[in-house]
Amino acid sequence: MPERLDSTDRIAALEAEVAQLRQAVAAHAVIDQALGVVVACTGVRPATAWEILREVSQGTNTKMREIAQLVVDWPHRRTLPPEIREALNTAARRRTTQSSPQVARR
């Protein structure tokens, strides 16, 4: 009987691990898309876009995947939460030398 319990525990642990990996892959895809949005809007390189998203995440105490989802949805919704918008603009201004560094206007 203990062997069966060990197998059951092992299966449960593997199922949990698979669920976590699926979530990580999905989050990674959304983050990559958000990087593309930031690159397109600011003209920065992808590494700099990553720094911008990381700064917004840390500055707003919001998980990176949540910031990424908001940024990906932003072109369709045409709005960002004010706190995220301000943090994104501030981070982009710090890292760009373009004449119009503001990213989010709504």
XYZ file of all heavy atoms in Angstrom:
823
model
N 0.801 -1.198 0.000
C 0.000 0.000 0.000
C 0.849 1.270 0.000
O 0.505 2.210 -0.689
C -0.949 -0.041 1.193
C -1.983 1.013 1.143
S -3.233 0.636 -0.099
C -4.545 1.589 0.479
N 1.960 1.341 0.752
C 2.785 2.547 0.730
C 3.307 2.878 -0.671
O 3.466 4.043 -1.015
C 3.935 2.236 1.676
C 3.439 1.156 2.562
C 2.456 0.378 1.743
N 3.572 1.844 -1.481
C 4.040 2.108 -2.849
C 2.975 2.839 -3.650
O 3.273 3.738 -4.416
C 4.410 0.796 -3.540
C 5.677 0.182 -3.028
C 5.986 -1.131 -3.712
O 5.502 -1.352 -4.842
O 6.688 -1.946 -3.113
N 1.734 2.447 -3.482
C 0.635 3.097 -4.211
C 0.519 4.555 -3.771
O 0.296 5.444 -4.589
C -0.668 2.350 -3.982
C -1.794 2.946 -4.781
C -3.061 2.105 -4.618
N -4.129 2.702 -5.358
C -4.582 2.258 -6.517
N -4.062 1.174 -7.037
N -5.553 2.865 -7.129
N 0.636 4.824 -2.490
C 0.573 6.178 -1.975
C 1.720 7.012 -2.553
O 1.511 8.140 -2.974
C 0.614 6.167 -0.446
C 0.438 7.527 0.225
C -0.896 8.160 -0.179
C 0.486 7.379 1.726
N 2.913 6.435 -2.613
C 4.050 7.142 -3.196
C 3.785 7.465 -4.665
O 4.097 8.560 -5.126
C 5.330 6.304 -3.063
C 5.821 6.222 -1.624
O 5.406 7.068 -0.809
O 6.613 5.316 -1.340
N 3.204 6.547 -5.389
C 2.885 6.768 -6.799
C 1.843 7.875 -6.944
O 1.948 8.740 -7.812
C 2.365 5.492 -7.452
O 3.360 4.499 -7.478
N 0.848 7.844 -6.087
C -0.202 8.866 -6.121
C 0.383 10.242 -5.818
O 0.070 11.221 -6.495
C -1.321 8.522 -5.118
O -1.826 7.223 -5.422
C -2.435 9.534 -5.167
N 1.240 10.301 -4.826
C 1.896 11.568 -4.481
C 2.781 12.052 -5.625
O 2.800 13.239 -5.947
C 2.739 11.418 -3.212
C 1.891 11.251 -1.962
O 0.679 11.559 -2.012
O 2.446 10.819 -0.932
N 3.478 11.131 -6.222
C 4.370 11.469 -7.340
C 3.569 11.994 -8.535
O 3.945 12.983 -9.155
C 5.192 10.230 -7.738
C 6.110 10.420 -8.890
C 7.411 11.057 -8.435
N 8.330 11.047 -9.565
C 8.973 12.127 -9.982
N 8.839 13.254 -9.345
N 9.763 12.059 -11.006
N 2.461 11.340 -8.831
C 1.608 11.789 -9.944
C 1.057 13.186 -9.649
O 1.056 14.063 -10.516
C 0.472 10.782 -10.202
C 1.052 9.500 -10.811
C -0.598 11.384 -11.109
C 0.073 8.349 -10.878
N 0.614 13.415 -8.438
C 0.085 14.731 -8.059
C 1.166 15.806 -8.184
O 0.908 16.904 -8.680
C -0.471 14.690 -6.644
N 2.372 15.483 -7.767
C 3.474 16.436 -7.864
C 3.815 16.738 -9.317
O 4.057 17.890 -9.691
C 4.701 15.890 -7.129
N 3.815 15.715 -10.159
C 4.101 15.905 -11.586
C 3.002 16.720 -12.269
O 3.289 17.583 -13.108
C 4.289 14.563 -12.284
C 5.574 13.818 -11.931
C 5.545 12.408 -12.519
C 6.793 14.580 -12.419
N 1.759 16.466 -11.890
C 0.653 17.249 -12.464
C 0.761 18.721 -12.068
O 0.515 19.614 -12.873
C -0.697 16.662 -12.034
C -1.017 15.358 -12.729
C -2.271 14.685 -12.191
O -2.734 15.032 -11.065
O -2.795 13.804 -12.887
N 1.139 18.973 -10.826
C 1.318 20.354 -10.370
C 2.464 21.024 -11.120
O 2.366 22.190 -11.518
C 1.578 20.375 -8.866
N 3.537 20.281 -11.326
C 4.682 20.819 -12.061
C 4.318 21.145 -13.510
O 4.690 22.195 -14.043
C 5.846 19.834 -12.025
C 7.107 20.370 -12.667
C 8.279 19.405 -12.564
O 8.158 18.350 -11.908
O 9.335 19.721 -13.147
N 3.575 20.274 -14.146
C 3.126 20.512 -15.525
C 2.256 21.767 -15.583
O 2.397 22.598 -16.488
C 2.381 19.278 -16.084
C 1.646 19.613 -17.365
C 3.362 18.139 -16.322
N 1.365 21.947 -14.620
C 0.502 23.128 -14.583
C 1.338 24.401 -14.434
O 1.081 25.409 -15.104
C -0.505 23.011 -13.452
N 2.359 24.345 -13.580
C 3.236 25.505 -13.401
C 4.013 25.814 -14.680
O 4.175 26.975 -15.051
C 4.215 25.261 -12.254
C 3.563 25.301 -10.891
C 4.544 24.933 -9.792
O 5.547 24.270 -10.015
N 4.235 25.357 -8.581
N 4.487 24.783 -15.351
C 5.221 24.980 -16.598
C 4.328 25.571 -17.682
O 4.752 26.456 -18.435
C 5.848 23.669 -17.068
C 7.010 23.160 -16.216
C 7.410 21.753 -16.653
C 8.190 24.102 -16.294
N 3.102 25.117 -17.758
C 2.152 25.678 -18.733
C 1.914 27.156 -18.455
O 1.861 27.977 -19.359
C 0.839 24.910 -18.707
C 0.932 23.581 -19.384
C -0.413 22.892 -19.440
N -0.268 21.636 -20.162
C -1.005 20.572 -19.958
N -1.969 20.611 -19.052
N -0.814 19.486 -20.645
N 1.747 27.491 -17.192
C 1.534 28.888 -16.819
C 2.766 29.726 -17.158
O 2.636 30.847 -17.658
C 1.217 28.996 -15.331
C 0.862 30.394 -14.894
C 0.500 30.461 -13.420
O 0.792 29.551 -12.648
N -0.131 31.549 -13.026
N 3.944 29.192 -16.921
C 5.179 29.920 -17.228
C 5.321 30.162 -18.727
O 5.715 31.255 -19.153
C 6.391 29.149 -16.695
N 5.005 29.168 -19.532
C 5.087 29.319 -20.989
C 4.098 30.383 -21.464
O 4.443 31.244 -22.282
C 4.841 27.969 -21.700
C 4.613 28.159 -23.176
C 6.020 27.031 -21.455
N 2.895 30.364 -20.932
C 1.889 31.360 -21.316
C 2.327 32.759 -20.897
O 2.199 33.714 -21.672
C 0.545 31.015 -20.698
N 2.863 32.892 -19.696
C 3.334 34.196 -19.223
C 4.489 34.686 -20.078
O 4.575 35.880 -20.406
C 3.751 34.108 -17.757
N 5.371 33.790 -20.465
C 6.521 34.154 -21.297
C 6.051 34.700 -22.643
O 6.573 35.708 -23.132
C 7.423 32.936 -21.487
C 8.675 33.211 -22.235
N 9.569 34.192 -21.856
C 9.191 32.654 -23.347
C 10.571 34.209 -22.710
N 10.365 33.290 -23.625
N 5.038 34.090 -23.218
C 4.520 34.549 -24.506
C 3.921 35.946 -24.385
O 4.152 36.808 -25.240
C 3.479 33.566 -25.035
N 3.176 36.203 -23.320
C 2.576 37.524 -23.119
C 3.657 38.565 -22.879
O 3.582 39.689 -23.395
C 1.563 37.487 -21.947
C 1.100 38.886 -21.580
C 0.384 36.618 -22.300
N 4.675 38.214 -22.133
C 5.775 39.148 -21.880
C 6.496 39.470 -23.181
O 6.820 40.633 -23.453
C 6.728 38.595 -20.803
C 6.019 38.597 -19.442
C 8.021 39.408 -20.743
C 6.722 37.844 -18.344
N 6.730 38.473 -24.017
C 7.359 38.728 -25.319
C 6.513 39.673 -26.165
O 7.037 40.576 -26.823
C 7.584 37.426 -26.082
C 8.786 36.645 -25.578
O 9.596 37.218 -24.818
O 8.916 35.463 -25.956
N 5.206 39.491 -26.147
C 4.316 40.380 -26.896
C 4.369 41.799 -26.342
O 4.391 42.776 -27.098
C 2.885 39.852 -26.859
C 2.701 38.562 -27.624
C 1.336 37.944 -27.380
O 0.434 38.575 -26.825
N 1.188 36.696 -27.799
N 4.399 41.924 -25.025
C 4.480 43.246 -24.395
C 5.801 43.932 -24.749
O 5.829 45.147 -24.978
C 4.335 43.119 -22.884
N 6.868 43.163 -24.796
C 8.156 43.734 -25.217
C 8.032 44.327 -26.619
O 8.527 45.419 -26.887
C 9.258 42.668 -25.190
C 9.685 42.175 -23.816
C 10.636 40.990 -23.954
C 10.332 43.292 -23.022
N 7.343 43.617 -27.497
C 7.136 44.104 -28.849
C 6.358 45.409 -28.880
O 6.676 46.317 -29.645
N 5.345 45.524 -28.039
C 4.557 46.752 -27.974
C 5.434 47.913 -27.502
O 5.418 48.998 -28.088
C 3.324 46.587 -27.047
C 2.625 47.926 -26.817
C 2.356 45.571 -27.626
N 6.221 47.673 -26.461
C 7.092 48.732 -25.939
C 8.139 49.130 -26.976
O 8.393 50.313 -27.199
C 7.751 48.307 -24.607
C 8.775 49.331 -24.145
C 6.686 48.108 -23.532
N 8.714 48.163 -27.655
C 9.703 48.454 -28.710
C 9.046 49.286 -29.813
O 9.594 50.294 -30.267
C 10.304 47.148 -29.283
C 11.068 47.412 -30.574
C 11.216 46.494 -28.252
N 7.853 48.890 -30.231
C 7.168 49.598 -31.311
C 6.806 51.029 -30.914
O 6.880 51.940 -31.741
C 5.907 48.838 -31.714
N 6.440 51.229 -29.674
C 5.996 52.555 -29.227
C 7.148 53.497 -28.876
O 6.988 54.710 -28.955
C 5.087 52.419 -28.022
S 3.502 51.681 -28.421
N 8.267 52.941 -28.476
C 9.363 53.795 -28.001
C 10.587 53.775 -28.907
O 11.408 54.672 -28.827
C 9.829 53.371 -26.595
O 10.340 52.035 -26.659
C 8.695 53.447 -25.585
N 10.721 52.729 -29.702
C 11.900 52.607 -30.548
C 13.130 52.085 -29.827
O 14.227 52.094 -30.383
N 12.949 51.610 -28.591
C 14.091 51.079 -27.844
C 14.370 49.646 -28.276
O 13.562 49.008 -28.948
C 13.838 51.126 -26.315
C 13.658 52.553 -25.839
C 12.668 50.253 -25.907
N 15.502 49.150 -27.877
C 15.855 47.759 -28.138
C 15.100 46.841 -27.166
O 14.674 47.287 -26.101
C 17.359 47.558 -27.980
C 18.159 48.305 -29.016
C 19.650 48.089 -28.758
N 20.422 48.774 -29.764
C 20.916 48.186 -30.852
N 20.732 46.893 -31.028
N 21.602 48.882 -31.730
N 14.960 45.569 -27.524
C 14.235 44.641 -26.645
C 14.790 44.571 -25.218
O 14.011 44.485 -24.263
C 14.361 43.298 -27.361
C 14.444 43.678 -28.807
C 15.267 44.953 -28.823
N 16.094 44.627 -25.062
C 16.671 44.577 -23.714
C 16.232 45.787 -22.891
O 15.960 45.673 -21.691
C 18.193 44.508 -23.784
N 16.148 46.939 -23.541
C 15.695 48.145 -22.859
C 14.204 48.055 -22.557
O 13.745 48.477 -21.491
C 16.005 49.394 -23.698
O 17.408 49.421 -23.973
C 15.602 50.667 -22.982
N 13.435 47.490 -23.477
C 12.004 47.288 -23.238
C 11.805 46.399 -22.016
O 10.902 46.642 -21.196
C 11.342 46.676 -24.466
N 12.654 45.380 -21.877
C 12.584 44.498 -20.700
C 12.823 45.315 -19.431
O 12.103 45.173 -18.441
C 13.612 43.375 -20.815
C 13.735 42.568 -19.562
C 14.690 42.677 -18.605
C 12.840 41.552 -19.110
N 14.451 41.795 -17.592
C 13.320 41.085 -17.879
C 11.688 40.998 -19.637
C 12.685 40.090 -17.154
C 11.055 39.994 -18.909
C 11.547 39.552 -17.684
N 13.825 46.195 -19.451
C 14.119 47.031 -18.279
C 12.924 47.923 -17.942
O 12.609 48.126 -16.769
C 15.354 47.888 -18.535
C 16.635 47.094 -18.637
C 17.809 47.942 -19.125
O 17.654 49.178 -19.250
O 18.878 47.365 -19.379
N 12.282 48.465 -18.975
C 11.112 49.318 -18.755
C 9.997 48.522 -18.083
O 9.426 48.970 -17.083
C 10.646 49.940 -20.089
C 11.657 50.974 -20.574
C 9.256 50.559 -19.939
C 11.425 51.465 -21.992
N 9.687 47.360 -18.622
C 8.630 46.537 -18.024
C 8.982 46.115 -16.602
O 8.116 46.114 -15.717
C 8.349 45.306 -18.888
C 7.674 45.567 -20.227
C 7.507 44.251 -20.990
C 6.338 46.259 -20.065
N 10.231 45.781 -16.382
C 10.658 45.375 -15.033
C 10.506 46.535 -14.058
O 10.003 46.366 -12.946
C 12.106 44.882 -15.056
C 12.546 44.334 -13.693
C 13.973 43.881 -13.703
N 14.809 45.051 -13.913
C 15.968 45.043 -14.555
N 16.435 43.926 -15.060
N 16.666 46.141 -14.695
N 10.897 47.737 -14.489
C 10.764 48.906 -13.627
C 9.295 49.185 -13.301
O 8.953 49.490 -12.155
C 11.390 50.129 -14.293
C 11.312 51.378 -13.435
C 11.970 52.581 -14.071
O 12.961 52.414 -14.820
O 11.491 53.699 -13.816
N 8.439 49.078 -14.295
C 7.006 49.295 -14.066
C 6.474 48.252 -13.086
O 5.734 48.585 -12.150
C 6.224 49.264 -15.398
C 4.723 49.281 -15.143
C 6.632 50.432 -16.288
N 6.856 47.016 -13.276
C 6.413 45.939 -12.399
C 6.852 46.195 -10.960
O 6.044 46.129 -10.031
C 6.974 44.608 -12.897
O 6.674 43.571 -11.994
N 8.109 46.522 -10.787
C 8.623 46.744 -9.439
C 8.059 48.024 -8.823
O 7.714 48.058 -7.649
C 10.148 46.793 -9.458
C 10.766 45.452 -9.760
C 12.272 45.508 -9.922
O 12.868 46.575 -10.034
N 12.893 44.337 -9.959
N 7.957 49.069 -9.638
C 7.487 50.351 -9.133
C 6.015 50.360 -8.750
O 5.592 51.147 -7.907
N 5.250 49.508 -9.378
C 3.812 49.435 -9.069
C 3.469 48.224 -8.214
O 2.302 48.020 -7.887
C 2.980 49.387 -10.370
O 3.324 48.218 -11.105
C 3.177 50.637 -11.200
N 4.475 47.437 -7.898
C 4.281 46.216 -7.110
C 3.225 45.316 -7.753
O 2.306 44.825 -7.105
C 3.904 46.550 -5.666
C 4.084 45.366 -4.740
O 4.919 44.494 -4.983
N 3.311 45.314 -3.681
N 3.385 45.151 -9.080
C 2.471 44.337 -9.869
C 3.289 43.268 -10.582
O 4.367 43.560 -11.090
C 1.744 45.204 -10.922
O 1.141 46.313 -10.260
C 0.684 44.408 -11.658
N 2.794 42.061 -10.618
C 3.532 40.981 -11.272
C 3.802 41.321 -12.732
O 2.963 41.920 -13.409
C 2.767 39.668 -11.183
C 2.693 39.144 -9.769
C 2.004 37.808 -9.724
C 1.858 37.400 -8.282
N 2.617 36.251 -7.937
N 4.954 40.911 -13.199
C 5.373 41.199 -14.569
C 4.347 40.698 -15.579
O 4.038 41.401 -16.540
C 6.744 40.571 -14.844
C 7.205 40.691 -16.267
S 7.689 42.343 -16.735
C 9.401 42.289 -16.285
N 3.816 39.512 -15.377
C 2.859 38.975 -16.352
C 1.581 39.817 -16.393
O 0.953 39.940 -17.433
C 2.561 37.505 -16.103
C 1.763 37.199 -14.877
C 1.463 35.707 -14.752
N 0.765 35.419 -13.535
C 1.337 35.121 -12.387
N 2.651 35.045 -12.309
N 0.616 34.881 -11.309
N 1.207 40.417 -15.270
C 0.029 41.283 -15.245
C 0.302 42.593 -15.996
O -0.553 43.065 -16.750
C -0.399 41.563 -13.807
C -0.923 40.327 -13.093
C -1.181 40.565 -11.621
O -1.342 41.738 -11.202
O -1.221 39.573 -10.874
N 1.483 43.159 -15.791
C 1.881 44.364 -16.535
C 1.897 44.035 -18.020
O 1.383 44.797 -18.845
C 3.272 44.863 -16.081
C 3.243 45.308 -14.612
C 3.779 45.971 -16.992
C 2.369 46.487 -14.320
N 2.500 42.912 -18.355
C 2.599 42.509 -19.761
C 1.216 42.369 -20.385
O 0.987 42.835 -21.504
C 3.382 41.208 -19.885
N 0.289 41.757 -19.673
C -1.066 41.587 -20.217
C -1.740 42.940 -20.435
O -2.393 43.158 -21.455
C -1.916 40.713 -19.292
C -3.243 40.333 -19.903
C -3.073 39.445 -21.140
O -2.515 38.358 -21.055
N -3.537 39.913 -22.274
N -1.565 43.864 -19.503
C -2.137 45.205 -19.667
C -1.543 45.908 -20.886
O -2.265 46.553 -21.653
C -1.894 46.038 -18.412
C -2.703 45.651 -17.185
C -2.172 46.357 -15.943
C -4.172 45.972 -17.392
N -0.230 45.775 -21.069
C 0.436 46.422 -22.207
C -0.017 45.791 -23.520
O -0.263 46.496 -24.500
C 1.977 46.357 -22.043
C 2.686 46.786 -23.311
C 2.408 47.233 -20.874
N -0.161 44.485 -23.545
C -0.617 43.797 -24.762
C -2.057 44.198 -25.090
O -2.403 44.409 -26.257
C -0.486 42.262 -24.605
C -1.223 41.519 -25.697
C 0.990 41.877 -24.590
N -2.881 44.337 -24.084
C -4.283 44.703 -24.293
C -4.462 46.184 -24.610
O -5.474 46.580 -25.187
C -5.120 44.357 -23.058
C -5.256 42.870 -22.839
O -4.976 42.092 -23.790
O -5.622 42.471 -21.718
N -3.498 46.996 -24.239
C -3.600 48.449 -24.365
C -3.953 48.939 -25.770
O -4.867 49.773 -25.906
C -2.310 49.070 -23.829
C -2.069 50.494 -24.161
C -2.977 51.511 -24.114
C -0.842 51.056 -24.578
N -2.373 52.680 -24.472
C -1.061 52.431 -24.760
C 0.424 50.530 -24.799
C -0.058 53.291 -25.170
C 1.421 51.395 -25.193
C 1.185 52.754 -25.380
N -3.314 48.464 -26.848
C -3.688 48.974 -28.170
C -5.154 48.697 -28.529
O -5.773 49.482 -29.245
C -2.749 48.225 -29.122
C -1.578 47.855 -28.284
C -2.164 47.572 -26.926
N -5.717 47.627 -28.004
C -7.104 47.279 -28.304
C -8.082 48.034 -27.405
O -9.142 48.458 -27.861
C -7.324 45.770 -28.170
C -6.393 44.975 -29.016
N -6.513 44.915 -30.383
C -5.297 44.243 -28.700
C -5.537 44.165 -30.878
N -4.787 43.750 -29.875
N -7.711 48.195 -26.159
C -8.583 48.869 -25.198
C -8.396 50.382 -25.222
O -9.233 51.111 -24.728
C -8.313 48.335 -23.792
C -8.642 46.852 -23.673
C -8.249 46.277 -22.344
N -9.076 46.872 -21.294
C -8.739 46.864 -20.031
N -7.619 46.315 -19.638
N -9.517 47.407 -19.135
N -7.249 50.806 -25.740
C -6.896 52.229 -25.855
C -6.798 52.935 -24.519
O -6.979 54.147 -24.433
C -7.868 52.955 -26.774
C -7.819 52.422 -28.170
C -8.695 53.191 -29.069
N -8.574 52.617 -30.408
C -9.203 53.070 -31.445
N -9.978 54.117 -31.341
N -9.052 52.500 -32.604
N -6.521 52.176 -23.493
C -6.339 52.771 -22.178
C -5.491 51.849 -21.314
O -5.423 50.648 -21.546
C -7.698 53.050 -21.503
O -7.473 53.784 -20.304
C -8.446 51.776 -21.191
N -4.824 52.458 -20.357
C -4.072 51.730 -19.335
C -4.514 52.284 -17.983
O -4.878 53.461 -17.893
C -2.564 51.984 -19.485
C -1.807 51.248 -20.559
C -0.402 51.827 -20.716
C -1.724 49.777 -20.241
N -4.436 51.487 -16.934
C -4.706 52.044 -15.613
C -3.750 53.220 -15.361
O -2.565 53.157 -15.733
C -4.416 50.875 -14.666
C -4.614 49.653 -15.511
C -4.161 50.051 -16.888
N -4.225 54.303 -14.771
C -3.389 55.503 -14.595
C -2.033 55.244 -13.947
O -1.018 55.789 -14.390
C -4.255 56.414 -13.717
C -5.652 55.964 -13.973
C -5.576 54.492 -14.250
N -1.995 54.419 -12.912
C -0.729 54.135 -12.225
C 0.256 53.444 -13.170
O 1.445 53.762 -13.180
C -0.991 53.270 -10.989
C 0.274 52.924 -10.225
C 0.009 52.022 -9.039
O -0.942 51.212 -9.086
O 0.772 52.115 -8.066
N -0.228 52.517 -13.966
C 0.620 51.789 -14.914
C 1.068 52.730 -16.026
O 2.236 52.737 -16.423
C -0.131 50.570 -15.501
C -0.629 49.636 -14.395
C 0.745 49.832 -16.513
C 0.426 49.096 -13.470
N 0.142 53.551 -16.516
C 0.473 54.498 -17.584
C 1.587 55.449 -17.147
O 2.560 55.659 -17.866
C -0.780 55.291 -17.981
C -0.538 56.245 -19.129
C -1.765 57.066 -19.478
N -2.134 57.917 -18.342
C -3.306 57.885 -17.734
N -4.240 57.048 -18.124
N -3.564 58.690 -16.732
N 1.454 56.011 -15.959
C 2.468 56.946 -15.465
C 3.816 56.255 -15.259
O 4.864 56.795 -15.608
C 2.008 57.611 -14.166
C 0.915 58.625 -14.379
C 1.325 59.721 -15.360
O 2.445 60.251 -15.259
O 0.511 60.034 -16.248
N 3.791 55.066 -14.702
C 5.034 54.323 -14.487
C 5.696 53.969 -15.813
O 6.919 54.051 -15.956
C 4.769 53.058 -13.664
N 4.893 53.590 -16.802
C 5.419 53.252 -18.116
C 6.036 54.478 -18.785
O 7.137 54.412 -19.340
C 4.306 52.659 -18.973
C 4.687 52.035 -20.302
C 5.678 50.896 -20.099
C 3.445 51.528 -21.020
N 5.353 55.614 -18.707
C 5.889 56.846 -19.280
C 7.190 57.257 -18.599
O 8.153 57.639 -19.261
C 4.868 57.980 -19.190
C 3.785 57.864 -20.232
O 4.008 57.320 -21.305
N 2.606 58.365 -19.921
N 7.218 57.176 -17.291
C 8.422 57.559 -16.539
C 9.599 56.655 -16.903
O 10.704 57.133 -17.165
C 8.141 57.495 -15.023
O 7.085 58.406 -14.725
C 9.371 57.850 -14.226
N 9.360 55.354 -16.923
C 10.436 54.407 -17.253
C 10.919 54.614 -18.686
O 12.125 54.558 -18.957
C 9.949 52.972 -17.050
N 9.988 54.857 -19.608
C 10.371 55.069 -21.009
C 11.162 56.355 -21.164
O 12.166 56.396 -21.891
C 9.127 55.094 -21.890
N 10.747 57.422 -20.476
C 11.469 58.698 -20.548
C 12.914 58.546 -20.089
O 13.806 59.161 -20.655
C 10.770 59.743 -19.678
C 9.858 60.634 -20.449
C 9.385 61.789 -19.564
N 7.940 61.748 -19.595
C 7.146 61.448 -18.576
N 7.622 61.182 -17.399
N 5.850 61.429 -18.738
N 13.119 57.741 -19.062
C 14.471 57.541 -18.533
C 15.386 56.865 -19.549
O 16.584 57.024 -19.493
C 14.421 56.666 -17.292
C 14.024 57.385 -16.078
C 14.362 56.550 -14.838
N 13.665 57.155 -13.736
C 12.686 56.589 -13.051
N 12.322 55.368 -13.316
N 12.088 57.222 -12.092
N 14.798 56.087 -20.412
C 15.619 55.252 -21.289
C 15.594 55.658 -22.756
O 16.167 54.984 -23.587
C 15.173 53.802 -21.148
C 15.558 53.266 -19.791
C 15.014 51.883 -19.575
N 15.505 51.328 -18.341
C 14.994 51.594 -17.150
N 13.992 52.414 -17.026
N 15.508 51.033 -16.070
N 14.906 56.710 -23.077
C 14.862 57.137 -24.473
C 15.424 58.542 -24.619
O 15.390 59.342 -23.691
C 13.419 57.120 -25.032
O 12.626 58.013 -24.268
C 12.832 55.732 -25.033
N 15.912 58.820 -25.800
C 16.396 60.161 -26.106
C 15.606 60.760 -27.249
O 15.986 61.767 -27.825
C 17.889 60.118 -26.482
O 18.055 59.227 -27.585
C 18.745 59.678 -25.328
N 14.486 60.101 -27.586
C 13.641 60.577 -28.672
C 12.948 61.868 -28.254
O 12.789 62.165 -27.076
C 12.579 59.526 -29.028
C 13.162 58.231 -29.510
C 12.075 57.171 -29.705
O 10.943 57.366 -29.308
N 12.448 56.075 -30.319
N 12.497 62.628 -29.240
C 11.837 63.897 -28.949
C 10.498 63.696 -28.259
O 10.023 64.552 -27.543
C 11.641 64.687 -30.242
O 10.853 63.941 -31.138
N 9.857 62.555 -28.463
C 8.559 62.287 -27.856
C 8.578 60.934 -27.145
O 8.061 59.946 -27.647
C 7.467 62.267 -28.921
O 6.228 62.017 -28.317
N 9.185 60.890 -25.946
C 9.349 59.613 -25.269
C 8.098 59.079 -24.588
O 8.126 57.978 -24.076
C 10.434 59.900 -24.245
C 10.274 61.343 -23.944
C 9.810 61.982 -25.224
N 7.007 59.840 -24.560
C 5.819 59.314 -23.887
C 5.263 58.122 -24.642
O 5.113 58.160 -25.854
C 4.753 60.393 -23.789
C 4.961 61.289 -22.593
C 3.678 61.961 -22.204
O 2.806 62.182 -23.029
N 3.575 62.298 -20.940
N 4.958 57.105 -23.924
C 4.444 55.870 -24.498
C 2.931 55.881 -24.469
O 2.263 55.728 -25.468
C 4.964 54.645 -23.704
C 4.359 53.373 -24.252
C 6.466 54.587 -23.776
N 2.377 56.057 -23.300
C 0.939 55.947 -23.117
C 0.328 57.327 -22.941
O 0.721 58.069 -22.062
C 0.638 55.086 -21.893
N -0.623 57.637 -23.774
C -1.280 58.932 -23.686
C -2.672 58.835 -23.076
O -3.282 59.840 -22.816
C -1.339 59.562 -25.063
C 0.060 59.930 -25.521
C 0.034 60.823 -26.733
N 1.376 61.273 -27.023
C 2.216 60.653 -27.813
N 1.852 59.527 -28.407
N 3.411 61.128 -28.028
N -3.192 57.648 -22.903
C -4.506 57.466 -22.275
C -4.423 56.512 -21.143
O -3.740 55.605 -21.100
C -5.512 56.913 -23.300
C -5.852 57.913 -24.321
C -6.985 57.353 -25.125
N -7.177 58.171 -26.296
C -8.174 58.043 -27.102
N -9.067 57.149 -26.884
N -8.302 58.802 -28.136
